[in-house]
Amino acid sequence: MVKAGANSGSTTQAIAILGETASALALARLCSAQGMAVSVLATTSGESATADVAAAVGASDCIIDARPEGRDGRADALLSLEAAIPAGAIVAVVASHRPVGPWARKLGRPGNFAGLVLGQRFDEESAPEIVRTRDTSDDTVARLDGLLRRIGKNPIVVRDCTGFFSARVAGAFLNEAMALVGEGVPAAVVESSALESGMRAGPLSMLDEMSLKIPDEILHQELRDLEHEKQAHGHEHGHGHEHGHGHGHGHGHHHESGHAHFPGHDHNHDHGQGHADTRDHGHGHDQAPASTDAHDHQRPHEHAHSVKSRRMPEPAVYVMEKMAHGFKRMGRASGAGFYDYDDDGTVTLWSGLKAFERRTAKVPAEDIRDRLLVIQALEAVRCRDEGVVASLEDADTGLLAYGFPATSGGVVGYINSFGTGAFVRRAAELATRYGERFRPPAGLEDLASRGRPLAEQPDAVPASRAAHGGSRPGPEA
């Protein structure tokens, strides 16, 4: 794998940016400030290339497709431009969480193609991710790295897989926050615990900024993939795509307090979550009636999945579904989320979140704090072990850029501040109480058993394999 920072003999001079998203416009401003010729092309997904667009693309040595992810026809629209793309130009598709490998396989020059994760705060401090597919060449990685460093960014190279790096680690943090809310911990306590620990922003405010649309989409894509995997193994048990789930959406699964079993959408359950108090969370608060079904049957959000998520804790699924599809509070862009956004600029936690609170919730303050931080450190180490990032240095770059406590020194500093032995013991305690997602990776346990600190180790995936997509087969599909 070519590490970010590698030199390239080719310097980008002219860029064509497809789309006018906020990140695209920020990228255009930064590139223009460095003397590059920038064309921002207001094309839409599915729109055939006009002569003007084709001409601008043909005059560029870097083409960046920054149109909104997931729009129908986006890939076909890019393919329609391929004839106009100069043979030596590189092409990058801006992504948020979906693998980009399928795009590369459709292009005539897949070695010149890569993904690019700009993040929510690209115009501020950020660590963009260069997504390397199985076919991406060293030169393409180096040229994108040079471009991003030229405009003052500190990119990292990541393997092509769902979530990439920062979104995956941030997702673990945000899921844990929703799990805490789902277990009855007051939302204000969750937010203040994260902020007091040094996180740049509270997790619920971060969810509002990004919208619940993304985690909801990731969840249901995962469940569909798991169902297909189950079918491929010959388990035909009525996989539920009948789309008619008559459920009150309450998650009264029979699981211990550890929440080790994550849900899909076989939701014929009440709302107990395995706790003694199995009543609905309504408690009579206004704006959040307990009878509200988390899936309004007037809208096409009907899932009857027969599998359970491996990524999202069960109480988090409940909160997300209730907020997104019951209360219809998707986030700041839609005008309402975990927070209320008044016309005068006042931002306050939504009073209806009290519907999730339970007086029986007994989660110690130190557990709230550690769950929010330990889960991120564990996920970062797993990403390094799986070859999603090549090094702990890259993991720290990504973590600190998106908002992990700056005083921690990143995942290495945070784990070593405990001591590997104490960290592994603490993570194991959390796993026993709250679920296997806190179980430490084998490599960390080995370091702890030998009394060694976490330090930069050789790449978890040999460079020759990481360059072709890492250790796990087929992540791009």
Side-chain angles (χ1 to χ4, degrees):
M1 175 181 283
V2 173
K3 289 203 34 102
N7 293 321
S8 170
S10 177
T11 301
T12 298
Q13 299 296 336
I15 300 177
I17 300 175
L18 307 179
E20 295 181 298
T21 61
S23 58
L25 296 176
L27 176 63
R29 287 193 299 271
L30 292 169
C31 290
S32 294
Q34 293 301 315
M36 288 175 258
V38 180
S39 299
V40 178
L41 308 171
T43 64
T44 59
S45 299
E47 180 182 50
S48 298
T50 65
D52 289 344
V53 169
V57 166
S60 302
D61 52 11
C62 178
I63 294 88
I64 298 177
D65 189 337
R67 291 171 291 186
E69 188 176 31
R71 295 287 180 87
D72 292 339
R74 184 185 180 204
D76 291 339
L78 181 61
L79 288 171
S80 73
L81 283 169
E82 189 168 22
I85 297 174
I90 58 174
V91 178
V93 169
V94 175
S96 62
H97 62 278
R98 295 177 175 178
V100 299
W103 291 59
R105 291 193 286 271
K106 294 181 179 180
L107 296 172
R109 293 184 291 272
N112 291 9
F113 174 88
L116 193 58
V117 182
L118 300 181
Q120 296 284 317
R121 303 172 60 251
F122 182 71
D123 56 343
E124 303 175 37
E125 180 184 356
S126 63
E129 297 177 11
I130 300 169
V131 182
R132 181 167 201 156
T133 74
R134 297 178 187 276
D135 299 300
T136 305
S137 71
D138 289 352
D139 180 67
T140 296
V141 172
R143 288 169 66 182
L144 282 171
D145 175 75
L147 166 64
L148 292 166
R149 290 184 185 279
R150 188 173 166 188
I151 61 174
K153 300 301 178 182
N154 189 20
I156 61 175
V157 180
V158 300
R159 178 165 65 85
D160 189 27
C161 56
T162 299
F164 312 118
F165 176 72
S166 295
R168 178 170 157 182
V169 177
F173 169 57
L174 303 178
N175 288 347
E176 202 60 39
M178 286 192 289
L180 285 162
V181 172
E183 291 167 22
V185 177
V189 172
V190 175
E191 292 286 84
S192 62
S193 179
L195 293 170
E196 290 167 7
S197 297
M199 290 297 300
R200 181 182 295 145
L204 303 182
S205 67
M206 288 175 65
L207 280 163
D208 271 8
E209 291 298 323
M210 70 181 287
S211 169
L212 287 177
K213 180 179 182 294
I214 292 176
D216 186 57
E217 179 181 301
I218 291 173
L219 171 68
H220 292 297
Q221 182 60 57
E222 180 204 5
L223 296 176
R224 286 191 293 270
D225 291 344
L226 290 173
E227 285 178 335
H228 293 156
E229 178 183 310
K230 186 176 180 181
Q231 290 171 345
H233 285 82
H235 298 295
E236 298 180 359
H237 299 300
H239 291 288
H241 289 290
E242 64 271 18
H243 301 307
H245 59 253
H247 54 270
H249 216 284
H251 296 275
H253 302 287
H254 300 291
H255 63 280
E256 60 276 11
S257 62
H259 304 291
H261 304 289
F262 308 154
H265 272 70
D266 49 336
H267 301 308
N268 292 303
H269 19 273
D270 53 31
H271 183 51
Q273 298 177 336
H275 299 280
D277 182 0
T278 58
R279 295 168 296 173
D280 194 284
H281 292 328
H283 301 309
H285 296 287
D286 60 357
Q287 302 183 66
S291 61
T292 301
D293 190 331
H295 289 279
D296 188 333
H297 295 279
Q298 300 302 311
R299 58 175 292 156
H301 182 80
E302 299 179 348
H303 306 276
H305 297 289
S306 64
V307 293
K308 298 178 185 295
S309 174
R310 296 172 184 169
R311 297 173 181 270
M312 184 174 286
E314 187 170 328
V317 173
Y318 172 74
V319 170
M320 185 183 69
E321 296 281 65
K322 196 79 168 174
M323 290 294 293
H325 305 295
F327 303 144
K328 297 178 174 59
R329 299 178 66 94
M330 294 294 288
R332 185 165 194 164
S334 64
F338 289 95
Y339 282 79
D340 277 325
Y341 300 92
D342 296 339
D343 293 340
D344 64 1
T346 302
V347 179
T348 54
L349 275 168
W350 181 45
S351 62
L353 294 175
K354 293 183 182 296
F356 295 111
E357 295 179 16
R358 285 198 305 283
R359 285 183 289 274
T360 56
K362 300 293 183 183
V363 183
E366 61 270 22
D367 283 10
I368 296 171
R369 176 199 65 210
D370 288 351
R371 284 173 62 176
L372 293 172
L373 297 184
V374 168
I375 198 67
Q376 296 179 74
L378 289 170
E379 198 66 22
V381 171
R382 291 187 190 110
C383 283
R384 194 287 304 267
D385 290 351
E386 296 167 13
V388 176
V389 289
S391 66
L392 290 171
E393 178 184 0
D394 284 352
D396 280 348
T397 297
L399 270 178
L400 293 171
Y402 93 76
F404 195 73
T407 56
S408 69
V411 62
V412 175
Y414 178 69
I415 290 176
N416 287 338
S417 70
F418 277 83
T420 51
F423 180 85
V424 163
R425 287 191 296 274
R426 180 58 173 149
E429 289 173 359
L430 295 175
T432 299
R433 294 178 189 175
Y434 304 106
E436 289 300 303
R437 61 190 180 277
F438 289 102
R439 191 67 58 193
L444 266 182
E445 292 183 327
D446 178 63
L447 287 176
S449 70
R450 293 185 286 133
R452 293 182 57 187
L454 181 64
E456 191 56 76
Q457 304 291 326
D459 288 359
V461 180
S464 61
R465 292 175 65 194
H468 295 285
S471 61
R472 291 199 277 180
E476 301 172 3

